[in-house]
């Protein structure tokens, strides 16, 4: 009989591509992960992984088992949810990982709402960018991720995750007050093709939004200054070292001295924010109220 614990290890190896990275995510030693994979191969009678210079990849048999693994683990999440509901699951801790603006915009208000409507649920919040929070959910380090769509992100129909759309927001152009377009009502992105740019590091979902928007306008942005903190991005723009695209909500309450904020001409680049949990866990009696609270706040 196949042990579910070993299926979880198989999925972690498939997600992380190396035994060492999977072991770190699961808080196991690499040798323990290798031993469990060997045991799983013995249980199934098939070779499931192949090791190479660039890491580990699944064999065709491993891919077949992985497709069933996602369904099995989702069903186990549902079983845990039903058992928790049977046991009244009215009290417990839910850990939420979110990027900073998401914390300010939806997570913190949801926490305040839950303190009134579900006082038995304790929320722990961790600051994590969208590209980091989704693997944290899959690795069971957190229960809920508030993340942003980005290239390479698991799609909405990913069998491992359940998505809950929250909100979408445009990016605005931020240019120094001395910039030639500072007096314009809207900023055509194509007019910024030769400017130096300030933006998030590669890997940050907002980096993808900026690059894709510029590519759609016909150019690659010349990113000379990088920061994942939009306050730093705006401060650099105010120092007249470049231009930027910044999510509208990230500009709320920020010192905008020295810069001008203008909407982008045409279709504005947009980041789409969603909550994600492990598939099957969306009806858990502790997690469902958190998702509902996040949705309620996002609709306000």
């Amino acid at each position: 009989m196949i042990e579910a614990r070993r299926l979880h290890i198989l999925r972690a190896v498939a997600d992380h591509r190396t035994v060492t990275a999977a072991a770190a995510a699961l808080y196991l030693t690499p040798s323990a992960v290798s031993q469990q994979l060997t045991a799983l191969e013995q249980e199934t009678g098939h070779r499931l992984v192949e090791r190479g210079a660039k890491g580990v990849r699944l064999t065709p048999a491993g891919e077949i088992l992985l497709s069933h693994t996602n369904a099995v683990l989702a069903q186990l999440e549902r079983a845990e949810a039903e058992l928790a509901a049977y046991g009244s699951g009215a009290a417990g801790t839910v850990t939420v990982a979110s990027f900073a603006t998401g914390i300010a915009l939806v997570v913190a208000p949801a926490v305040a709402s839950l303190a009134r409507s579900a006082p038995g649920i304790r929320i722990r919040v961790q600051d994590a960018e969208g590209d980091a929070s989704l693997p944290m959910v899959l690795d069971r380090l957190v229960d809920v991720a508030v993340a942003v769509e980005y290239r390479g992100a698991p799609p909405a129909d990913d069998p491992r995750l359940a998505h809950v759309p929250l909100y979408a927001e445009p990016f605005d152009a931020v240019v120094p007050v001395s910039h030639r377009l500072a007096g314009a009502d809207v900023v055509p992105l194509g007019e910024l093709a030769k400017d130096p740019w300030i933006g998030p590091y590669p890997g940050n979902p907002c980096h993808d939004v900026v690059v894709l928007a510029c590519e759609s306008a016909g150019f690659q942005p010349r990113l000379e200054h990088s920061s994942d903190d939009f306050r730093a991005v705006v401060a650099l723009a105010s120092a007249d070292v470049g231009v930027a695209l910044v999510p509208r909500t990230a500009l709320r309450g920020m010192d905008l001295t020295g810069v001008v904020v203008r909407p982008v001409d045409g279709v504005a680049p947009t980041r789409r924010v969603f909550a994600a949990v492990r598939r099957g866990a969306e009806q858990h009696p502790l997690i469902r109220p958190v998702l509902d609270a996040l949705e309620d706040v996002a609709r306000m």
Side-chain angles (χ1 to χ4, degrees):
M1 181 177 293
I2 298 173
E3 289 192 17
R5 175 170 56 103
R6 290 172 181 153
L7 293 179
H8 183 62
I9 290 172
L10 178 71
R11 188 163 79 176
V13 169
D15 286 342
H16 292 281
R17 303 296 183 185
T18 70
V19 168
T20 300
L26 297 172
Y27 293 98
L28 297 172
T29 64
S31 61
V33 169
S34 294
Q35 289 169 7
Q36 292 300 316
L37 287 175
T38 298
L40 184 59
E41 290 179 328
Q42 292 172 347
E43 288 174 343
T44 61
H46 292 279
R47 187 178 182 186
L48 302 174
V49 297
E50 292 181 345
R51 292 169 174 80
K54 295 184 178 180
V56 176
R57 69 179 184 86
L58 299 188
T59 64
E63 293 287 355
I64 291 171
L65 184 57
L66 180 65
S67 68
H68 291 284
T69 292
N70 292 326
V72 169
L73 294 183
Q75 189 60 40
L76 286 174
E77 292 283 355
R78 294 186 190 99
E80 289 181 8
E82 288 190 23
L83 287 170
Y86 176 77
S88 84
T93 300
V94 176
T95 304
V96 180
S98 172
F99 57 99
T101 308
I103 291 173
L105 193 64
V106 292
V107 176
V111 170
S113 174
L114 286 165
R116 298 186 295 270
S117 63
I121 300 177
R122 177 173 176 260
I123 308 296
R124 294 179 61 244
V125 180
Q126 297 185 21
D127 189 335
E129 292 298 336
D131 58 323
S133 62
L134 294 176
M136 291 168 72
V137 168
L138 291 172
D139 291 335
R140 304 182 72 89
L141 300 177
V142 301
D143 302 301
V144 181
V146 175
V148 178
E149 291 181 3
Y150 60 96
R151 283 191 288 194
D157 61 352
D158 189 292
R160 302 168 300 170
L161 295 168
H163 282 222
V164 178
L166 294 178
Y167 65 92
E169 64 171 324
F171 281 58
D172 288 326
V174 177
V175 301
V177 292
S178 60
H179 194 273
R180 63 189 180 281
L181 296 178
D185 293 330
V186 295
V187 172
L189 279 185
E191 296 295 320
L192 302 177
K194 295 183 179 180
D195 287 85
W197 279 73
I198 312 155
Y201 284 101
N204 185 314
C206 289
H207 174 89
D208 284 347
V209 175
V210 172
V211 171
L212 283 171
C214 293
E215 288 176 350
S216 296
F219 69 97
Q220 285 280 343
R222 180 162 51 92
L223 283 162
E224 292 198 355
H225 310 279
S226 298
S227 174
D228 288 334
D229 186 334
F230 286 116
R231 290 170 299 179
V233 170
V234 170
L236 287 167
S238 70
D240 201 10
V241 300
V243 300
L245 288 173
V246 177
R248 189 166 291 171
T249 57
L251 295 167
R252 292 179 184 175
M254 197 180 292
D255 181 6
L256 299 177
T257 303
V259 299
V260 171
V261 179
R262 293 288 184 267
V264 173
D265 189 24
V267 179
T270 302
R271 70 171 172 182
R272 291 173 173 80
V273 180
F274 62 93
V277 300
R278 290 179 296 278
R279 190 169 292 276
E282 61 269 29
Q283 296 303 326
H284 191 287
L286 293 178
I287 292 175
R288 185 72 253 171
V290 176
L291 295 176
D292 290 342
L294 289 169
E295 285 188 283
D296 290 342
V297 170
R299 283 194 293 263
M300 292 180 181

